[in-house]
Amino acid sequence: MTLRLLALTTLTAAGIAGSAFAADTVKLGYQLPLTGDTAQYGQDFRKAAEIALAEFNAAGKPFKVEIVFEDSRSDAKEGTNIARKFVDDKEIVGVLGDFTSGVSMAAAQVYKEAGMPQLSQTASHPDYAKISKYQFRNIATQAQEGPYNAKWMASKGFKNVAVIAEQTDWGQSVVGGFSDAVKANGGTVAFSEFFNRGLKDYRSLISKIERAKPDAIYTGFFYEDGAQFLRQLQQLGIKTPVYSTSAAYSPKLIELAGGAAEGVHLTSNFLPTDPSPNVQHFVDEWKKRSDGAVPGQFPAQAYDAVRIMLAAVEKASPAPTREKVRDALAQTKDFPGVTGKTTFNADREAEKELVKVEVKGGAFVPVAD
Amino acid sequence: MFDPYYLQQLAIGLSLGMTYALMAIGFTLIFGVLNVVNFAHGEIYTLGAFAGLVLISATAPPIVAVILGALAVGALAGFSLERLAFKPFRRFTDEASLKSRAMRESTLLSSLAVSIVVREALEIVFGSQMRSVPFDYLINTPVRVGPVILVTGDFIIFGVAAAMLIGLQYLLTRTRVGLAIRAVSNNPLGAKYVGIDTDRTIITTFVVGSMMGAAAGILMGLYYGAVFPAMGFTPGIKAFVAMVMGGLSSIPGAVICALILGISESMATTFVSSGWSDMVAYGFLILTLIFFPNGLFGARRERV
């Protein structure tokens, strides 16, 4: 509905502009889960992309951009099919997505063969960007976040830690990146285990963690699993400090976990309370479209990813090609986004500045240490 | 000295098993009568949870009213489900059609279709995000029993599951309605010949079974504090496994197997990674099917 409305306004705008000069349209693809278990994330990405796109098309650029959204259901097979479809559409010069590392990496194989630039807002598995020179991402990898958090926890005096993560490509990179850094800092990993995403009852796992008597627990989960985990931790009366990755940074975590989220430490690269004008502009636009809800980190990353892609398309125009868009993406330097300045290094990794955050009084509060 | 850790795991397993049992009861009841899997049972569960949540956010009624509301929605949903997905396939009442596998299997697919439509519709209306239940309504205040920590919800769920089981056994063995249900489940054609209104009996079964599904849904919503369109899927699978292990149509069997499932999952977590604990459940299913093709409690031929 909103999409159709948007398409309509885009068309009308194009019609008006068309009278002055032939309005070119550049097409981008966006693969993301719009249905299925992870649909909530994909829906948010689409909303963020629509905000970025509407702004771009309203800015009086010499061409218009259209984004084709395809539903991957977070299924690697589906993701690969979409990738083939995008590759076959000669008008598409760049692709955004997918959501999970697993699906992004499966689709990346297709994009690698076809020479299609791919920019994922969330795929944080270390191997993703290594697939070919066409893969970019707008998120800190676990190879960056793991050591950062390990250092943070070590500075708090937690020597003996437990680590759990969801059983996915991403979860494994959380455990890997973190555990190696803990050992390098001279600490010990007392307990390390994976759970299935969407597990309802963490109490067995929690009892098992507590038997290992860790000083702190490091967790690789998203807000749904995180909220259940934290709540059941509280139910069992366990006070061990919990640290987590930026993946759990969402207002929904606090909404669902309530008081149980108090004192959780995590990292983030987006703070909706940041007073800088572009952040506040995004937060306002988001609130307008979501009944006043505040965006989490993921939609912010999607918003920036779309804008980085649009900037690359603009740089590659007139007559952008896939190769020119790739080169323009690779040259992205100090892009002023809502998730901080983004520069792609030689490995096509976004070097993100991480912020330390703690849940205090029902809100995410930045902390110094 | 016995390690209290194992007692805690046992208690968690029992509570987990109870949550599976809660769903398995209604599921098995419907299977027992129609001899066909009702794939939409998980969505009835979800609908019950959403109905409760909508009621809570609209008028903040006492918890009993919330459950009654969910029961009413469950009854209505069960009735509509039967109308939509099952009744059209009972148009032909001759013996060949009644015994036809194709007829039964088509309801398997039609109920699956209804389940997909309902889930997607819920996603469109409510979005696929997890919705939180207001904290005053949650039933997870910790309760300490000796060395073991449980929550209030565990006792409520135990009470509700026990009441459902005893109530159903009473209904099935002591009342005329129950007699009719058992007759239809045993031999639909025979039941028709002796003057039982089979249509009405089937509808009654659906309404009762779906009310139980909806009650399970809202209880789970209050227990875990999150309501979302895909919430019925995993419990549906677990209830299905419990039903098959219990011998397909034995309600007490399904309940006992649900408890076995819960306990083995939580106990298994001690010895293998939590990611593998589901394997234990499905391993049990395979073992049961190999060594007890009629299920653990399915020796008696009489259904329900």
Side-chain angles (χ1 to χ4, degrees):
Chain A
M1 179 66 186
T2 43
L3 188 67
R4 198 176 298 159
L5 205 69
L6 194 78
L8 206 68
T9 39
T10 319
L11 274 177
T12 339
I16 298 162
S19 54
F21 45 97
D24 281 331
T25 305
V26 177
K27 260 164 99 178
L28 295 173
Y30 204 146
Q31 58 172 93
L32 70 183
L34 294 171
T35 59
D37 288 347
T38 49
Q40 63 273 37
Y41 294 100
Q43 303 281 5
D44 279 358
F45 295 156
R46 181 161 74 183
K47 207 189 286 177
E50 282 167 354
I51 296 173
L53 187 65
E55 284 169 358
F56 184 87
N57 283 339
K61 308 277 175 172
F63 61 94
K64 299 285 168 197
V65 173
E66 184 195 333
I67 297 183
V68 183
F69 294 94
E70 288 281 353
D71 177 14
S72 69
R73 307 186 63 95
S74 276
D75 176 355
K77 209 168 63 200
E78 204 63 37
T80 320
N81 288 341
I82 294 171
R84 294 214 180 87
K85 203 163 149 190
F86 281 161
V87 162
D88 286 344
D89 186 339
K90 294 291 172 233
E91 286 178 57
I92 291 180
V93 295
V95 169
L96 292 142
D98 202 286
F99 167 49
T100 64
S101 292
V103 183
S104 303
M105 284 157 75
Q109 299 298 339
V110 178
Y111 296 133
K112 170 187 165 186
E113 292 304 317
M116 171 82 92
Q118 177 190 13
L119 170 56
S120 169
Q121 69 290 319
T122 43
S124 66
H125 192 284
D127 290 345
Y128 162 74
K130 292 182 188 139
I131 289 174
S132 78
K133 63 170 187 167
Y134 295 99
Q135 273 68 44
F136 297 84
R137 69 171 128 223
N138 183 39
I139 184 171
T141 64
Q142 290 309 319
Q144 184 192 346
E145 216 174 310
Y148 185 85
N149 284 328
K151 211 173 131 197
W152 186 15
M153 289 169 76
S155 77
K156 293 266 192 176
F158 302 131
K159 289 272 174 236
N160 190 31
V161 294
V163 50
I164 57 158
E166 57 174 56
Q167 177 69 286
T168 56
D169 284 344
W170 174 78
Q172 289 182 345
S173 76
V174 169
V175 172
F178 178 76
S179 303
D180 291 348
V182 168
K183 284 170 199 150
N185 292 348
T188 46
V189 177
F191 180 89
S192 165
E193 195 161 298
F194 297 99
F195 58 85
N196 290 325
R197 221 190 132 86
L199 185 70
K200 275 259 182 88
D201 217 304
Y202 290 87
R203 289 179 296 173
S204 294
L205 180 58
I206 293 170
S207 307
K208 200 174 162 189
I209 296 174
E210 274 312 290
R211 207 152 68 133
K213 298 201 168 34
D215 298 337
I217 308 169
Y218 185 62
T219 55
F221 49 45
F222 289 66
Y223 73 79
E224 301 95 339
D225 293 330
Q228 292 298 348
F229 178 83
L230 293 171
R231 266 235 288 254
Q232 289 163 15
L233 203 66
Q234 192 192 38
Q235 276 172 27
L236 292 175
I238 288 158
K239 304 262 187 301
T240 314
V242 176
Y243 283 72
S244 197
T245 67
S246 57
Y249 184 90
S250 165
K252 277 283 200 184
L253 179 78
I254 297 175
E255 187 196 321
L256 286 164
E262 282 300 300
V264 171
H265 292 71
L266 42 79
T267 43
S268 173
N269 55 41
F270 170 70
L271 287 173
T273 48
D274 184 337
S276 72
N278 63 347
V279 172
Q280 285 314 310
H281 167 76
F282 171 63
V283 172
D284 287 345
E285 286 292 320
W286 184 270
K287 280 181 174 168
K288 261 186 240 161
R289 293 166 191 242
S290 6
D291 302 327
V294 178
Q297 178 182 290
F298 280 0
Q301 277 167 202
Y303 177 72
D304 276 354
V306 173
R307 290 202 309 154
I308 291 169
M309 181 62 95
L310 289 172
V313 169
E314 196 178 356
K315 202 189 258 179
S317 64
T321 62
R322 291 171 185 178
E323 206 57 39
K324 274 160 79 180
V325 170
R326 192 220 81 89
D327 293 343
L329 270 178
Q331 287 160 18
T332 302
K333 195 168 184 306
D334 290 337
F335 180 88
V338 294
T339 57
K341 284 190 176 133
T342 302
T343 301
F344 288 123
N345 66 15
D347 297 324
R348 299 165 305 283
E349 302 279 9
E351 285 167 351
K352 289 281 178 191
E353 273 176 56
L354 293 167
V355 189
K356 291 169 183 165
V357 179
E358 188 186 340
V359 180
K360 273 186 198 159
F364 291 109
V365 181
V367 287
D369 67 306
Chain B
M1 186 58 205
F2 194 67
D3 191 349
Y5 168 82
Y6 291 102
L7 270 182
Q8 177 71 56
Q9 290 291 26
L10 187 70
I12 292 167
L14 272 173
S15 112
L16 205 58
M18 280 299 166
T19 67
Y20 298 157
L22 207 54
M23 178 134 181
I25 293 173
F27 204 61
T28 312
L29 176 68
I30 293 176
F31 183 92
V33 173
L34 285 183
N35 203 7
V36 68
V37 176
N38 170 20
F39 270 117
H41 200 67
E43 272 56 44
I44 302 272
Y45 170 98
T46 314
L47 275 178
F50 268 100
L53 185 65
V54 167
L55 214 60
I56 287 174
S57 32
T59 56
I63 193 155
V64 177
V66 173
I67 292 175
L68 286 178
L71 285 175
V73 169
L76 188 70
F79 179 79
S80 327
L81 170 68
E82 203 277 335
R83 260 293 145 81
L84 230 67
F86 291 85
K87 195 166 175 158
F89 294 100
R90 288 203 311 276
R91 269 174 310 176
F92 310 104
T93 44
D94 56 294
E95 198 165 345
S97 302
L98 280 174
K99 287 185 175 161
S100 145
R101 286 181 78 90
M103 275 301 191
R104 273 195 271 138
E105 271 147 30
S106 46
T107 58
L108 197 116
L109 289 180
S110 63
S111 66
L112 183 65
V114 169
S115 91
I116 294 173
V117 170
V118 169
R119 190 168 59 236
E120 298 290 322
L122 282 171
E123 253 174 43
I124 291 171
V125 177
F126 293 99
S128 45
Q129 300 258 6
M130 273 192 179
R131 302 191 148 241
S132 56
V133 177
F135 287 97
D136 302 342
Y137 281 94
L138 293 185
I139 48 173
N140 53 16
T141 321
V143 178
R144 186 173 265 283
V145 187
V148 171
I149 298 173
L150 287 169
V151 296
T152 42
D154 290 328
F155 299 99
I156 296 174
I157 288 169
F158 175 77
V160 172
M164 274 187 187
L165 185 62
I166 295 166
L168 257 189
Q169 287 310 105
Y170 179 81
L171 178 88
L172 289 174
T173 52
R174 298 268 185 278
T175 63
R176 284 193 74 81
V177 179
L179 199 64
I181 291 178
R182 284 191 297 149
V184 172
S185 109
N186 209 301
N187 185 343
L189 205 59
K192 219 179 163 70
Y193 288 157
V194 297
I196 292 171
D197 187 342
T198 39
D199 262 357
R200 208 164 75 199
T201 309
I202 289 172
I203 291 172
T204 312
T205 316
F206 262 92
V207 168
V208 173
S210 299
M211 277 164 77
M212 292 182 166
I218 181 63
L219 277 177
M220 285 302 107
L222 300 179
Y223 185 66
Y224 287 120
V227 172
F228 54 104
M231 68 187 284
F233 183 72
T234 318
I237 301 260
K238 294 285 161 65
F240 179 72
V241 173
M243 180 180 85
V244 173
M245 276 174 69
L248 288 173
S249 47
S250 156
I251 293 173
V255 170
I256 293 169
C257 289
L259 293 180
I260 295 178
L261 269 187
I263 294 172
S264 56
E265 274 178 29
S266 79
M267 283 301 181
T269 307
T270 309
F271 306 107
V272 296
S273 162
S274 148
W276 290 95
S277 69
D278 274 350
M279 198 191 68
V280 175
Y282 303 132
F284 262 116
L285 176 65
I286 292 172
L287 287 180
T288 313
L289 288 178
I290 292 173
F291 295 109
F292 304 92
N294 284 328
L296 296 178
F297 300 88
R300 285 177 301 130
R301 272 325 295 159
E302 195 198 13
R303 290 213 217 91
V304 180

